[in-house]
């Protein structure tokens, strides 16, 4: 859990650093927030806690909806096309993310798999049954 949190924190820190050093053609853009799209509410809360007032977070999967079976709608793809960062859980939870990112046609989108380099906890009850 710590490794995943640290990875996300480092990625967001890098993103904020890059965004603050970017081209400041307009004062409006320089004062703007980093637009981050996440798959579900728990990731939204985490990103908001890390980014605080520097981020604008939108959640794709509505509360109470199963992320495994979710199918993104047109407005979800619009949000992805306008986002600067996309954070998803990974580990096969959101099987639709690859297609959604491709459909959003946002070549500047930074995609973060929050489970990258994480060893999932194996359910010991399932091991005993096999």
């Amino acid at each position: 859990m710590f490794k995943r949190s640290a990875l996300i924190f480092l990625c967001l820190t890098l993103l904020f650093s890059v965004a603050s050093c970017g081209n400041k053609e307009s004062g409006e853009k320089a004062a703007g927030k980093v637009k981050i799209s996440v798959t579900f509410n728990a990731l939204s809360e985490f990103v908001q806690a890390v980014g605080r007032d520097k981020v604008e977070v939108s959640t794709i999967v509505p509360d109470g909806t199963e992320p495994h079976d979710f199918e993104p709608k047109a407005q979800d793809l619009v949000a992805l096309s306008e986002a600067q960062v996309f954070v998803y859980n990974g580990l096969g939870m959101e099987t639709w993310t690859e297609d959604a990112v491709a459909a959003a046609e946002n070549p500047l989108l930074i995609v973060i798999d929050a489970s990258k380099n994480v060893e999932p906890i194996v359910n010991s009850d399932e091991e005993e049954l096999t």
Side-chain angles (χ1 to χ4, degrees):
M1 181 70 164
F2 175 74
K3 287 182 182 180
R4 183 168 99 184
S5 299
L7 177 65
I8 292 173
F9 177 75
L10 289 174
C11 290
L12 291 173
T13 301
L14 176 64
L15 173 71
F16 297 139
S17 298
V18 170
S20 66
C21 295
N23 187 357
K24 299 188 182 199
E25 291 179 7
S26 71
E28 179 182 308
K29 193 167 193 171
K33 297 180 178 187
V34 176
K35 290 185 177 186
I36 302 177
S37 187
V38 300
T39 52
F40 59 95
N41 192 41
L43 288 174
S44 175
E45 291 178 17
F46 183 80
V47 169
Q48 191 65 55
V50 172
R52 299 189 179 243
D53 63 339
K54 305 272 191 269
V55 297
E56 178 184 321
V57 182
S58 65
T59 306
I60 295 175
V61 180
D63 285 341
T65 303
E66 177 62 42
H68 294 91
D69 303 326
F70 180 75
E71 290 293 327
K73 296 172 182 50
Q75 69 260 24
D76 301 321
L77 299 178
V78 169
L80 272 179
S81 71
E82 296 173 351
Q84 294 166 286
V85 180
F86 173 55
V87 182
Y88 69 101
N89 182 70
L91 295 175
M93 186 169 183
E94 310 102 324
T95 57
W96 48 268
T97 56
E98 190 174 311
D99 291 337
V101 168
E105 298 180 347
N106 182 349
L108 300 177
L109 183 66
I110 298 170
V111 179
I112 299 174
D113 177 350
S115 66
K116 187 174 183 176
N117 298 321
V118 171
E119 286 187 43
I121 298 172
V122 178
N123 185 344
S124 60
D125 292 340
E126 288 180 10
E127 285 183 347
E128 293 173 8
L129 295 174
T130 56

